[in-house]
Amino acid sequence: MLLHLQTWQEVEEYLEQNQGIIIPIGSTEQHGPTGLIGTDAICAEVIAKGVGEATGALVAPTVNIGMALHHLAFPGSISLQPTTLIQVTQDTVSSLAAAGFQRFFFINGHGGNIATLKAAFSQTYAHLANLKLPHADQVRCNVANWFMCREVYQLAKELYGEEEGSHATPSEVAVTQFVYPEAIKSAFLDKEVASGHPIYSAEDFRRHYPDGRMGSNPGLATPEHGKQLYQVAVKALSEQYLKFLDR
Amino acid sequence: MLLHLQTWQEVEEYLEQNQGIIIPIGSTEQHGPTGLIGTDAICAEVIAKGVGEATGALVAPTVNIGMALHHLAFPGSISLQPTTLIQVTQDTVSSLAAAGFQRFFFINGHGGNIATLKAAFSQTYAHLANLKLPHADQVRCNVANWFMCREVYQLAKELYGEEEGSHATPSEVAVTQFVYPEAIKSAFLDKEVASGHPIYSAEDFRRHYPDGRMGSNPGLATPEHGKQLYQVAVKALSEQYLKFLDR
Amino acid sequence: MLLHLQTWQEVEEYLEQNQGIIIPIGSTEQHGPTGLIGTDAICAEVIAKGVGEATGALVAPTVNIGMALHHLAFPGSISLQPTTLIQVTQDTVSSLAAAGFQRFFFINGHGGNIATLKAAFSQTYAHLANLKLPHADQVRCNVANWFMCREVYQLAKELYGEEEGSHATPSEVAVTQFVYPEAIKSAFLDKEVASGHPIYSAEDFRRHYPDGRMGSNPGLATPEHGKQLYQVAVKALSEQYLKFLDR
Amino acid sequence: MLLHLQTWQEVEEYLEQNQGIIIPIGSTEQHGPTGLIGTDAICAEVIAKGVGEATGALVAPTVNIGMALHHLAFPGSISLQPTTLIQVTQDTVSSLAAAGFQRFFFINGHGGNIATLKAAFSQTYAHLANLKLPHADQVRCNVANWFMCREVYQLAKELYGEEEGSHATPSEVAVTQFVYPEAIKSAFLDKEVASGHPIYSAEDFRRHYPDGRMGSNPGLATPEHGKQLYQVAVKALSEQYLKFLDR
Amino acid sequence: MLLHLQTWQEVEEYLEQNQGIIIPIGSTEQHGPTGLIGTDAICAEVIAKGVGEATGALVAPTVNIGMALHHLAFPGSISLQPTTLIQVTQDTVSSLAAAGFQRFFFINGHGGNIATLKAAFSQTYAHLANLKLPHADQVRCNVANWFMCREVYQLAKELYGEEEGSHATPSEVAVTQFVYPEAIKSAFLDKEVASGHPIYSAEDFRRHYPDGRMGSNPGLATPEHGKQLYQVAVKALSEQYLKFLDR
Amino acid sequence: MLLHLQTWQEVEEYLEQNQGIIIPIGSTEQHGPTGLIGTDAICAEVIAKGVGEATGALVAPTVNIGMALHHLAFPGSISLQPTTLIQVTQDTVSSLAAAGFQRFFFINGHGGNIATLKAAFSQTYAHLANLKLPHADQVRCNVANWFMCREVYQLAKELYGEEEGSHATPSEVAVTQFVYPEAIKSAFLDKEVASGHPIYSAEDFRRHYPDGRMGSNPGLATPEHGKQLYQVAVKALSEQYLKFLDR
Ligand code: NI
Ligand code: NI
Ligand code: NI
Ligand code: NI
Ligand code: NI
Ligand code: NI
């Protein structure tokens, strides 16, 4: 169930049975010479929809822009500052918690969002307690990174081994190829690809990762892989979501 | 051209010819007994894509959550605070302006966003000047409300007369029916519908507009109307965008 | 009744009868070669006092500095950032609402304040609800722009036609001449005056409007016009205020 | 010279000779049974104007609302939060410093503003340095409290001795009587008046100072005293201002 | 009793008897050629511990970084912005007030913290009232500057006369020599030392005070003086603290 | 070398050879019935000093209060909000980076700080780039959690096995016993100890972890263990620091 395709009265009925909601969050940032700028949002959104179908959960609209300050030296990248994303998260969760939602399951497509989301959850719990919202103490948030599910990780390793890398990976590119086969890109991909340098400033990132990839070979991606990865992720996250609801 | 389906190198090439970008912005809020919660975002997104196709402009991902504090007494509504939306807008425009974009054309689906967006534009111009960004003085933002285009307004009046109302209108509902025919809703719509009360707090809003509609009869909407409204809006906004680019 | 000339006990008595208050808000910004930097605050203040006399309403001290970032390339201009003005508005309304005021009628002299004030009102309603202030849901704010009253607008058109323009207008200059006849200025006013360019950054504004005027001929202003405009504005806004109280 | 009665071109000429400006700042808060709510702003404004006349300095519009959180339990009081007043001060000084002003002499009528203003000055210097404003290192701010001038203090002690007290003092009430003789109030003033309790929260303040006075007997005030105090303050602050300019 | 050496259950017991707590606050900033960068924190901490021992009060961990923006042109100095320190103070007091603490006695080692702390206290009282914390109206904060105690000041004048100066003073240096005899420094101290210039920006400060001292001769400091000053400060502040508790 | 025991001139000399600095960061929060409230700060500080001695690095004063919102239901706990800690971190790093420091090695004693610190680093890199600080692109921050070093983890597992748990662990308690043998506590420790519940709000935390421990048996701690753990941590982090400097 997609929240944006419901009426408020349908949401009211849903809440009588269920206080969980899934919030896909991605990023809008460079993904190397062949990766789409929307990769992280596309993956999070499609997988969240799949989990929503599998579990009957309501799925909120996708947060398309995340914390990607380190990618800003590449054109087309957009980032919120961490404090902005904290405020966006708090406003979002607070709006829904006031209506009765209690379980917020963020399906995340971007490693750079994790730290800020966790900080945001802490700040939001305290904010809701300060507001004396009834059941503030029942509100729980969780960030579930599809690419870090054990099953997804294993499949990626099987398919790509070391060439999976850590940004602009063949696995995330494959999922976007599965979703948007009409937007499969080809471009020169140097066999030599930088890796292992930690992430600091945007300028430093571009200096160390000149084409945007971090140790990955996205040339290995296929739409068929994407479908497999999608299915594995939906299955794993559906189980996680149901457990989260029951906790 | 959808930004999320481009690579960073394609954006780099685009910027050599063109410094304009379209940013759809909607809201996630109640739209009466038959209107979708995502109505404003759905309309802004589909029209922005149409304008992008008609003009060759790059279209950024949709800002799905806007300033809808007055709708928060209806479940499923989500709102940013105005200061949060100002920061989101500033972060977004600043990211893109640093890469060379200079014309930001927000296609907006929600009246409640207008004031905050205008405030955000002012703050952002000053921020970019403070940063001493080259060409900061060339950055221009514009909010184009599809439902306020003269041609759209005339068509809505022709189709619905006084029953157009001002929230959960048949015209916006019609556009969503055109986009998502599978999500056409039916529900009891009282002939008596409140109107004319200004917007104050969320609680006051719900007290005065108990089913969420403001003077509208969305029961008149059809997918065919939606298509017509869509086409008229795309045509009108494409012209506006091209003029904006040339200014 | 001017708030600053009352004691707290007089305010306490007032509140037993009446929960309305008028807040004049202007700006401190260039108004062309002959317009006073305080024009917007002077007009808002004198008209607010007139409305206070006509209706018995309490009138708060004038907010002298508003949102005028686009005028900052002209010396003597001062501006708050939008987020600062939002906070000022929220702090002001919250202070008074805690004491029992419920109707906040901002008499505004500056177009640049409107968007930010509207954003501030939204944020303030939510803030008061979060505080669980008794009667938070009864708090209502309204921005009444004296220069946009139908009757004022008609008189200005009669007196000045197209030469009214949109900034440093003869009508606002006339009101200041009526209030401060000792400060009537004369300076060269080019017959050619720029108009029609939207407002973006401060630097862009000065480039397009080199002497600060937007399509206006303030040389037509007279103190007598100012008196007429003042009277028409007071009459119109007094009626608006009384209606606002009763809503 | 009052800034609000100048044109921008007159300010431009002023700046060629002089980089100083006076900013009156008051408060809007209870001043006991007979003191005006605007006392602090009225005193600061009239004295600032006097200093402006005596020294040829430009005088900015009065900041009418200050930091008076501890008075909020009395109706009619309005307060900014300290962080809001810091932002207001920074925005104001930054606007003027960008135009070339370098000496900011705040004439202050309210003890409660002092700490926040000093904090604001520190933050503003750093902000201007961060902006790399030319001559940022020449910007200097000073808060001059008229009631703390040695000469004023001595006169107050002569006139009122211990009955001067520390809030709603006869000396500040006298100055307002001099300025607004038509607004002289009479009310019961208990001979017993609380004093000596430090300032904490608003509720605590009202509990300890039930009629709002702190150890004062404003019944001693006369307009003639007000004139004397005004003259002494103008003389003392004019000298301070001229020294400040030359530093 | 040092808070960091207690368990939460010991704190719970303490609170049954006593709602007071001492919070040492210093700064990390240049203190001239022979003064330690930690001088203000070292002094505040050791004296706070002494007061804790003398009175049985709980002593919180030291706030090591304060508001020292004007020292930032000297390497090794660290400063919070005033708005940051306000937030740190509010978060700290709010955490402890929620647990039942009501008397917050800040023992302060740095003049530059005073204004910001006072602003923070005001903001915090209002914040706690907004939260509707039980006993919010009982919360009281106080900043006690060890170097401004009458007895300390007298001893410093006796020992050093005019050479005490106002920054990098022999008295504060002496206290650090008493605490860290192993870190006594020697360096060239020009007999000529600047004094009397007010504090503005960091760059201005260094220009006027090139070696960091303000009118002081820290060469006079000895560990024995430090011990005396320490003892006098502990005695004076212990009395102040006990009075503060009883108010 | 402890920063607080240096003069600014000694720091200036240090910077000619070395641009690295170590910043210990802990927390002030409950650590179960026998753990000290200062445990995380004590551990971070002592280990940071050890690393400073082993590597010749400068060590900044300890950040004693961290992000511990989830512990606030236990008295004595103090927490910054995440946005406050972000600002503290940004102010701290910016102060030092302006003086020439480029490598910021945070030795962290509290898991709850990690997410916020990472968010803060991202925001700070962007802030420094916005300031156009020379060498902004060379600034690098790292959070090194002593308890997560492989060697420390292995030793803890050897010593305590499953009874290490994840909060109020015997290993961190042992380190505090080594540092403060005079503050070794004894209290009833239930054999049954909760574990495995994720961290949400403060109220939820206390409900699930009633005595504050998370799966740990701190009764196993000894000062001798503490010494071993300290030595292993210093060795491991010294190597990490030196590698970080060289990167
Ligand atoms: Ni990705
Ligand atoms: Ni709509
Ligand atoms: Ni105007
Ligand atoms: Ni006063
Ligand atoms: Ni000091
Ligand atoms: Ni710990």
Side-chain angles (χ1 to χ4, degrees), chain D residues 78-213:
Chain D
I78 306 176
S79 181
L80 301 183
Q81 295 184 84
T83 45
T84 307
L85 184 51
I86 287 174
Q87 201 58 51
V88 167
T89 306
Q90 180 173 299
D91 286 359
T92 299
V93 171
S94 299
S95 296
L96 292 164
F101 288 94
Q102 295 183 359
R103 296 291 180 274
F104 298 86
F105 192 75
F106 286 74
I107 292 188
N108 177 37
H110 173 51
N113 290 336
I114 299 172
T116 299
L117 280 177
K118 287 187 176 174
F121 296 163
S122 297
Q123 188 142 328
T124 300
Y125 300 133
H127 176 67
L128 296 176
N130 280 347
L131 294 185
K132 315 230 178 311
L133 189 82
H135 309 301
D137 64 314
Q138 299 298 331
V139 170
R140 296 176 184 180
C141 300
N142 187 65
V143 51
N145 308 293
W146 74 268
F147 52 95
M148 288 168 72
C149 293
R150 193 171 43 78
E151 300 86 341
V152 170
Y153 187 81
Q154 285 175 343
L155 177 55
K157 281 294 165 196
E158 261 173 51
L159 294 169
Y160 313 120
E162 284 305 297
E163 294 179 276
E164 168 71 356
S166 56
H167 181 66
T169 63
S171 60
E172 62 181 344
V173 169
V175 173
T176 65
Q177 290 181 344
F178 162 61
V179 183
Y180 290 108
E182 71 277 21
I184 297 180
K185 311 279 170 159
S186 63
F188 172 71
L189 289 170
D190 198 330
K191 283 268 161 93
E192 297 291 311
V193 58
S195 72
H197 184 72
I199 294 175
Y200 303 116
S201 70
E203 199 177 329
D204 181 84
F205 185 98
R206 183 152 185 177
R207 196 162 50 220
H208 283 86
Y209 298 109
D211 73 0
R213 291 177 298 151

Side-chain angles (χ1 to χ4, degrees), chain C residues 55-133:
Chain C
T55 63
L58 204 56
V59 180
T62 304
V63 181
N64 288 308
I65 299 180
M67 207 310 288
L69 289 172
H70 47 297
H71 292 297
L72 285 186
F74 293 90
S77 303
I78 305 177
S79 180
L80 301 183
Q81 296 185 83
T83 45
T84 307
L85 183 52
I86 287 173
Q87 202 57 50
V88 166
T89 305
Q90 181 173 300
D91 285 0
T92 300
V93 171
S94 299
S95 297
L96 293 164
F101 288 95
Q102 294 182 1
R103 295 291 181 276
F104 298 86
F105 192 75
F106 286 75
I107 292 189
N108 177 37
H110 173 51
N113 290 336
I114 300 172
T116 299
L117 280 177
K118 287 187 175 173
F121 296 164
S122 298
Q123 188 141 326
T124 301
Y125 299 134
H127 176 67
L128 296 175
N130 280 348
L131 294 185
K132 314 233 178 313
L133 189 82

Side-chain angles (χ1 to χ4, degrees), chain D residues 67 69 81-83 86 115-116 118-119 122-123 125 137-138 140-141 197-198 200 203-204 207-208 244 247, chain E residues 67 69 81-83 86 115-116 118-119 122-123 125 137-138 140-141 198 200-201 203-204 207 244 247:
Chain D
M67 206 310 290
L69 289 172
Q81 295 184 84
T83 45
I86 287 174
T116 299
K118 287 187 176 174
S122 297
Q123 188 142 328
Y125 300 133
D137 64 314
Q138 299 298 331
R140 296 176 184 180
C141 300
H197 184 72
Y200 303 116
E203 199 177 329
D204 181 84
R207 196 162 50 220
H208 283 86
F244 176 62
R247 268 205 290 252
Chain E
M67 207 308 292
L69 289 172
Q81 295 186 84
T83 45
I86 288 174
T116 299
K118 288 186 175 175
S122 297
Q123 188 140 327
Y125 299 134
D137 64 313
Q138 300 297 332
R140 297 178 184 178
C141 302
Y200 304 115
S201 69
E203 198 178 330
D204 181 85
R207 197 162 46 220
F244 176 63
R247 266 204 290 254

Side-chain angles (χ1 to χ4, degrees), chain A residues 67 69-70 81-84 86-87 90 114-116 118-120 122-123 125-126 136-142 197-204 207-208 244 247, chain F residues 67 69-70 81-84 86-87 90 114-116 118-120 122-123 125-126 136-142 197-204 207-208 244 247:
Chain A
M67 208 309 289
L69 289 172
H70 47 297
Q81 295 184 83
T83 46
T84 307
I86 287 174
Q87 201 59 50
Q90 180 174 299
I114 300 171
T116 299
K118 288 186 175 174
S122 296
Q123 188 141 327
Y125 298 134
D137 64 313
Q138 299 298 331
V139 170
R140 297 177 184 180
C141 301
N142 186 65
H197 184 71
I199 293 175
Y200 304 114
S201 69
E203 199 177 328
D204 181 84
R207 197 163 46 221
H208 283 86
F244 176 64
R247 267 205 290 250
Chain F
M67 208 309 291
L69 289 172
H70 47 296
Q81 294 185 82
T83 46
T84 307
I86 288 174
Q87 202 58 51
Q90 180 173 299
I114 299 172
T116 299
K118 287 186 176 175
S122 297
Q123 189 141 325
Y125 299 133
D137 64 312
Q138 299 299 331
V139 170
R140 296 177 184 180
C141 301
N142 187 65
H197 184 71
I199 294 175
Y200 305 116
S201 69
E203 198 176 329
D204 182 86
R207 196 163 47 220
H208 284 85
F244 176 62
R247 265 204 294 251

Side-chain angles (χ1 to χ4, degrees), chain F residues 109-180:
Chain F
H110 173 50
N113 291 336
I114 299 172
T116 299
L117 279 177
K118 287 186 176 175
F121 296 164
S122 297
Q123 189 141 325
T124 300
Y125 299 133
H127 176 67
L128 296 175
N130 280 347
L131 294 185
K132 316 233 177 313
L133 190 82
H135 308 302
D137 64 312
Q138 299 299 331
V139 170
R140 296 177 184 180
C141 301
N142 187 65
V143 52
N145 308 292
W146 75 268
F147 51 93
M148 288 167 72
C149 293
R150 194 170 43 80
E151 300 85 341
V152 172
Y153 186 81
Q154 285 175 344
L155 177 55
K157 281 294 165 197
E158 263 172 50
L159 293 169
Y160 313 120
E162 284 305 296
E163 294 181 273
E164 166 71 355
S166 55
H167 180 68
T169 62
S171 61
E172 59 182 346
V173 169
V175 173
T176 66
Q177 291 180 345
F178 162 60
V179 183
Y180 290 107

Side-chain angles (χ1 to χ4, degrees), chain B residues 216-237:
Chain B
S216 68
N217 180 3
L220 303 176
T222 71
E224 294 70 29
H225 292 168
K227 187 177 182 186
Q228 280 181 270
L229 286 157
Y230 162 78
Q231 288 170 336
V232 166
V234 167
K235 186 158 177 297
L237 290 177

Side-chain angles (χ1 to χ4, degrees), chain D residues 30-106:
Chain D
Q30 70 83 15
H31 271 80
T34 59
L36 306 181
I37 280 177
T39 297
D40 296 348
I42 292 165
C43 295
E45 183 168 294
V46 70
I47 292 166
K49 283 180 181 174
V51 174
E53 283 158 19
T55 63
L58 205 55
V59 180
T62 304
V63 182
N64 287 308
I65 300 179
M67 206 310 290
L69 289 172
H70 46 297
H71 292 297
L72 285 186
F74 293 91
S77 303
I78 306 176
S79 181
L80 301 183
Q81 295 184 84
T83 45
T84 307
L85 184 51
I86 287 174
Q87 201 58 51
V88 167
T89 306
Q90 180 173 299
D91 286 359
T92 299
V93 171
S94 299
S95 296
L96 292 164
F101 288 94
Q102 295 183 359
R103 296 291 180 274
F104 298 86
F105 192 75
F106 286 74

Side-chain angles (χ1 to χ4, degrees), chain F residues 56-97:
Chain F
L58 204 57
V59 180
T62 303
V63 181
N64 288 308
I65 301 179
M67 208 309 291
L69 289 172
H70 47 296
H71 292 297
L72 286 186
F74 294 89
S77 302
I78 305 178
S79 180
L80 302 183
Q81 294 185 82
T83 46
T84 307
L85 183 52
I86 288 174
Q87 202 58 51
V88 166
T89 306
Q90 180 173 299
D91 286 359
T92 299
V93 172
S94 298
S95 297
L96 292 164

